[in-house]
Amino acid sequence: MSTWSPSASVSSFITLSTLSSRRSSASFETVPLELIAEAHSKGYHSVCLPLTTEDWRKRWAEMCLVPSDSIQKRRRESRRESKLVSRDLSAERKAEAWRENPCFEREEVTITRLDEAEHVTAIISEWLELDAEEDGIRYDAEIALQQELAYASYLNIHTAILPPPRNRDHISSYARIVRACLSSAPYMNLAIRLPVYDTSILEPVVPLSPSSSSSSFRSSSAPSTPRLVVSGSADSLNRSSTTSAPLEAHIDAAWEMWDLIKSICDYNIRLALALDLTPPLPNSPGVLSKWAAEAVRYIFLPSSTFIANAKGYPHRPNIIISGASSGLHKRGGEDAYSQYVKHLERTSSIVQAAEKVGTVENFAQGYQDYLQAPLQPLMDNLQSITYQTFEQDPVKYQSYEEAIHKALLEWPKQDKIIICVAGAGRGPLVARSLCAIARSKRGNVCLYAIEKNPNAFVTLQNRQRTEWHDRVHLLFGDMRLVEIPEKVDILVSELLGSFGDNELSPECLDGAMRFLKPHGISIPSSYTAHLAPLSSSKLYNEARAIKEEKSLETPYVVMFQAVNLLSGLPPTNSHNTRSAKLRFHIPHAGVLHGLAGYFEAILYGNIGLSIHPHRKDQVSKDMLSWFPLFFPFREPLYLPSNSELQISIWRLTNSRQVWYEWHAESFLGSSPPTFPATSGGQPLPPILMASPTIGVPSPLIDAVDLIPRSTLSVQDTPERSTARLVKIGHTSLHNPGGRSSWIGLR
């Protein structure tokens, strides 16, 4: 049995004021060692602490900045670019010497020993402005950052949290500096602290300034929540904008800055996000869903996030901890915060499902966001261990048994019934068919089993000899070519892939359907593929890590975890066409990294199988056999809020192989589509008016099939003018001619 290992660790934030006010005791050689030991004794896994002191801030400001001649002066000036007639040549000489050979003085750093740095995450000086207006300030801030990272690396610290970006106009400069640091510190992991949205809409912001004597970092119990300046006009982001601009726009501003940084840094796997949840969170979880697909390594939570219950203990937080030692709550002490976070994780539905044997979450541990190549069922003969893995799925086989049993009960009792299992593998469907026959109390049933894998056929022969005897007739060969003695009434197959037809179900069944009588039953009777646009930095990085072009033109089987579906799943064509063009409304800004593929199948009657994310629990809960399919894109495609995404996908074939090709286009000017009302008053996409799946609408009707122009007259077309759409981007055609990935037919 797999055991759950908590994915989240809880860290204590040790502030600069705590470090400077504490005096070392006889039990510890230094203050940092004592504070770190206290944190570990309270159950924290690690600590975060500032790497530098107030003395470093003052020296840097004296060397690099022109002193302000007025308290009201907000714009700082670099000595490098100063046009003052009287210049402080002594300070400038010191600055040049420092730029040539950056070095700390002892009183400018908080820790000096390796044992002080164990299990420590370094907080880089918050006042460093890597996106300042002046080139000179940015240049000197970059040198200071490189100096701090070099010192952290010297102490064997592996992770540092960088000061946040604040100025959208110079975010590219910030990102360039971060990329340079990743290159110069090859063993250092960097995290960028970023609030979930611009906090200026809720509270006034005190500008950070290394030359000011009232640094927010020094005076507060935790780093201040940074403000994001996303335009040249400060008035556009002050309190008065709260009513005119939706909160979503400010959330998008923060996320878009992060997206630009990670893009310029080429999705470096050593770059992560330290998400600051200090601001009040919005009521709509969908607005925050884009962060679920990002590399969030740290979450900042102040103690004010926790609301005290009637007894004074912290209760019901939004998520995770800084300022825990501030005494904000009357009872429980500092331990209560970390204990409650651990309690939340331990009692969450995800953790409980992971610990329960038989659930998808338990079965999939270790497979989350792990790329697997789809099976080649005709080219390759599967190994016994592969069959064994799939046979661990009780839900799938129980559903098959129920479908066969239901079909037998509805068949006229006086008739003899011929059943054929096409693609028997090691025999699980054969065994389930025999169980269904026994339950139905039908004595006049003949059962055939066909299998092409010569190794699996040995297992079938052994089971026939030891278990089934003359109740099963075995046939060796390819179902497309083998001959069967008589026509069958019920044809049972297990040929579905994660996308329905990606393991050659149509090609195999085209050859096997000749076994079936004109009014016979096929189990499954139908299946439908579903497609949705997906954002996931992790999957994108995994796919391109192979360093081959074909790696980003290959569909992968994946158990999705760190992903964000950018739009709802559309209703898809239920007929047997081999191409589709889909239109998706994108309500929130995001980056398209690929497409998520799912399927649903009707076995017989109301019995089915589903990996559709919104219906799988209702149709076939805890089914283990299929993970979704991931179609990657070679280059990420940015999609702004309320844009439109059009996806084209083709399933193509020749005499030797089957392959998929896919392509995407993005447009501005989108709005959620509207359609003429049905007789019942409900809007319905025209493509569904003749669809046999009309009773199973998409859970989120914000993405629909494009209307075939050849089948709709002008008056039938919904009131949606394509002239209003402005194209803003597209991808290349992926996998043309099956050059990178395909499924062999022989």
Side-chain angles (χ1 to χ4, degrees):
M1 171 184 172
S2 299
T3 57
W4 172 260
S5 177
S7 57
S9 60
V10 183
S11 300
S12 173
F13 185 85
I14 299 176
T15 65
L16 189 56
S17 59
T18 301
L19 283 166
S20 49
S21 62
R22 180 71 72 93
R23 295 292 178 265
S24 59
S25 65
S27 303
F28 295 91
E29 296 182 49
T30 67
V31 169
L33 286 176
E34 183 173 0
L35 292 173
I36 292 170
E38 286 181 5
H40 290 162
S41 68
K42 294 172 182 176
Y44 292 106
H45 300 90
S46 59
V47 298
C48 299
L49 57 77
L51 194 63
T52 62
T53 68
E54 181 71 9
D55 293 315
W56 166 234
R57 178 189 67 79
K58 289 180 179 178
R59 183 164 75 98
W60 186 91
E62 290 171 356
M63 289 189 300
C64 303
L65 299 179
V66 175
S68 175
D69 56 1
S70 170
I71 297 177
Q72 302 298 324
K73 184 176 180 180
R74 297 172 66 96
R75 184 178 183 275
R76 296 175 297 132
E77 188 176 1
S78 169
R79 289 189 185 275
R80 293 169 54 90
E81 301 176 0
S82 174
K83 297 179 175 59
L84 294 177
V85 176
S86 62
R87 305 169 68 95
D88 188 341
L89 298 181
S90 174
E92 291 185 14
R93 281 194 293 270
K94 290 180 181 178
E96 284 303 319
W98 166 75
R99 294 180 186 115
E100 182 69 23
N101 187 22
C103 182
F104 286 117
E105 297 177 4
R106 169 61 188 89
E107 62 273 11
E108 294 175 344
V109 294
T110 57
I111 56 177
T112 60
R113 300 163 37 156
L114 282 173
D115 53 353
E116 292 175 329
E118 288 183 11
H119 307 294
V120 165
T121 297
I123 304 292
I124 300 301
S125 298
E126 189 193 39
W127 45 262
L128 290 178
E129 294 191 53
L130 307 175
D131 50 1
E133 291 288 339
E134 282 202 27
D135 290 344
I137 294 177
R138 292 199 305 271
Y139 177 80
D140 287 338
E142 179 178 359
I143 295 175
L145 174 60
Q146 295 274 17
Q147 178 181 341
E148 293 191 27
L149 291 176
Y151 186 72
S153 181
Y154 164 75
L155 291 175
N156 203 35
I157 295 175
H158 299 293
T159 304
I161 298 179
L162 304 188
R166 298 179 179 86
N167 189 344
R168 181 62 180 84
D169 290 341
H170 293 282
I171 190 64
S172 56
S173 294
Y174 181 103
R176 183 205 63 77
I177 292 172
V178 173
R179 177 163 181 158
C181 290
L182 288 166
S183 177
S184 62
Y187 303 107
M188 181 74 71
N189 295 305
L190 303 182
I192 296 174
R193 180 167 174 245
L194 204 65
V196 290
Y197 59 84
D198 174 26
T199 56
S200 65
I201 65 173
L202 296 177
E203 58 186 16
V205 178
V206 179
L208 292 173
S209 174
S211 60
S212 168
S213 61
S214 59
S215 170
S216 61
F217 185 91
R218 182 168 54 93
S219 61
S220 64
S221 62
S224 62
T225 301
R227 175 184 178 180
L228 304 180
V229 180
V230 294
S231 73
S233 172
D235 294 337
S236 65
L237 288 173
N238 61 20
R239 283 174 177 266
S240 63
S241 67
T242 305
T243 56
S244 58
L247 183 61
E248 177 187 342
H250 297 278
I251 294 175
D252 283 347
W255 176 84
E256 286 169 0
M257 293 179 79
W258 161 249
D259 179 61
L260 181 59
I261 293 168
K262 70 179 182 183
S263 297
I264 290 179
C265 293
D266 197 29
Y267 285 74
N268 194 301
I269 60 175
R270 292 186 290 114
L271 179 65
L273 183 63
L275 193 61
D276 185 354
L277 298 188
T278 301
L281 299 182
N283 291 327
S284 172
V287 178
L288 295 175
S289 61
K290 55 172 59 70
W291 296 113
E294 302 300 339
V296 179
R297 189 167 296 162
Y298 294 92
I299 298 177
F300 274 90
L301 278 189
S303 57
S304 58
T305 304
F306 297 76
I307 303 171
N309 62 16
K311 296 183 179 180
Y313 288 92
H315 183 56
R316 296 180 64 82
N318 282 332
I319 313 225
I320 303 180
I321 302 180
S322 69
S325 60
S326 60
L328 182 63
H329 297 93
K330 298 177 182 177
R331 301 182 62 183
E334 188 174 346
D335 295 0
Y337 298 103
S338 59
Q339 289 169 2
Y340 197 79
V341 169
K342 295 172 184 176
H343 165 75
L344 286 178
E345 184 176 30
R346 187 172 58 253
T347 58
S348 70
S349 58
I350 295 177
V351 173
Q352 290 182 337
E355 293 177 335
K356 183 179 179 181
V357 176
T359 63
V360 175
E361 291 81 1
N362 180 272
F363 175 77
Q365 288 188 61
Y367 288 97
Q368 292 93 340
D369 292 334
Y370 176 75
L371 304 183
Q372 303 176 72
L375 297 177
Q376 292 272 6
L378 290 183
M379 286 183 57
D380 302 332
N381 291 320
L382 301 183
Q383 301 296 311
S384 185
I385 189 66
T386 304
Y387 286 118
Q388 180 175 309
T389 300
F390 290 125
E391 290 168 12
Q392 294 176 24
D393 188 342
V395 176
K396 174 179 67 175
Y397 293 112
Q398 183 61 38
S399 297
Y400 265 97
E401 180 180 328
E402 293 300 324
I404 298 168
H405 180 247
K406 185 178 179 67
L408 289 171
L409 292 180
E410 295 180 359
W411 203 270
K413 290 187 177 181
Q414 67 276 13
D415 292 354
K416 178 183 177 182
I417 303 176
I418 310 298
I419 300 177
C420 176
V421 176
R426 300 198 315 176
L429 281 182
V430 176
R432 290 289 185 163
S433 297
L434 291 172
C435 290
I437 294 170
R439 289 172 54 198
S440 69
K441 297 182 172 52
R442 298 290 299 251
N444 52 347
V445 180
C446 178
L447 179 59
Y448 292 93
I450 302 173
E451 178 52 48
K452 76 169 186 65
N453 185 339
N455 305 310
F457 195 71
V458 174
T459 301
L460 290 176
Q461 293 177 78
N462 185 64
R463 295 193 69 176
Q464 183 186 42
R465 179 179 302 175
T466 59
E467 301 175 43
W468 305 330
H469 308 293
D470 58 356
R471 293 182 295 166
V472 179
H473 305 281
L474 300 181
L475 297 171
F476 174 68
D478 190 324
M479 69 178 72
R480 298 171 298 173
L481 305 173
V482 73
E483 295 296 332
I484 194 168
E486 53 190 325
K487 294 284 188 178
V488 304
D489 300 293
I490 301 176
L491 179 64
V492 182
S493 62
E494 187 187 355
L495 305 169
L496 297 172
S498 298
F499 198 48
D501 58 13
N502 63 292
E503 291 185 9
L504 302 181
S505 174
E507 285 72 21
C508 293
L509 289 178
D510 280 346
M513 290 303 289
R514 58 195 170 90
F515 305 150
L516 201 58
K517 293 178 181 178
H519 300 291
I521 296 172
S522 174
I523 298 178
S525 61
S526 67
Y527 55 88
T528 305
H530 298 267
L531 204 65
L534 174 149
S535 177
S536 175
S537 300
K538 188 174 191 303
L539 291 183
Y540 175 69
N541 262 340
E542 291 287 337
R544 71 176 191 150
I546 305 174
K547 305 297 184 184
E548 296 181 16
E549 183 181 36
K550 68 178 183 179
S551 67
L552 286 166
E553 291 191 332
T554 299
Y556 298 96
V557 175
V558 186
M559 176 59 174
F560 292 145
Q561 186 179 50
V563 303
N564 176 31
L565 294 183
L566 299 174
S567 185
L569 275 74
T572 56
N573 295 328
S574 59
H575 50 79
N576 196 27
T577 59
R578 302 301 172 90
S579 67
K581 189 168 186 179
L582 303 172
R583 175 185 289 140
F584 296 87
H585 170 67
I586 306 299
H588 310 299
V591 172
L592 180 71
H593 291 115
L595 306 171
Y598 309 91
F599 84 92
E600 289 184 298
I602 298 174
L603 296 179
Y604 184 75
N606 62 350
I607 302 169
L609 305 172
S610 177
I611 62 170
H612 189 296
H614 300 296
R615 293 199 285 269
K616 60 182 181 180
D617 286 349
Q618 290 74 37
V619 178
S620 50
K621 181 176 174 57
D622 290 327
M623 184 173 65
L624 311 176
S625 292
W626 292 278
F627 294 159
L629 204 64
F630 173 56
F631 296 88
F633 283 109
R634 286 200 298 272
E635 296 293 336
L637 181 64
Y638 174 75
L639 301 171
S641 296
N642 293 316
S643 58
E644 180 169 292
L645 176 67
Q646 294 184 10
I647 298 293
S648 297
I649 186 166
W650 299 265
R651 185 183 190 272
L652 303 170
T653 182
N654 57 28
S655 60
R656 301 181 307 278
Q657 58 201 36
V658 173
W659 69 95
Y660 293 95
E661 299 179 12
W662 57 99
H663 173 261
E665 295 179 276
S666 57
F667 300 84
L668 279 179
S670 173
S671 60
T674 57
F675 298 96
T678 64
S679 57
Q682 297 295 322
L684 185 67
I687 195 67
L688 292 183
M689 291 181 180
S691 170
T693 59
I694 191 171
V696 191
S698 172
L700 295 175
I701 307 296
D702 58 0
V704 299
D705 287 327
L706 289 178
I707 301 156
R709 295 182 180 179
S710 60
T711 60
L712 285 178
S713 62
V714 175
Q715 57 266 33
D716 293 329
T717 305
E719 296 179 3
R720 182 189 181 94
S721 172
T722 56
R724 290 181 298 172
L725 296 179
V726 178
K727 183 171 179 177
I728 56 175
H730 64 262
T731 69
S732 58
L733 178 64
H734 284 63
N735 198 35
R739 67 183 180 187
S740 299
S741 62
W742 42 267
I743 311 106
L745 289 172
R746 57 180 74 168

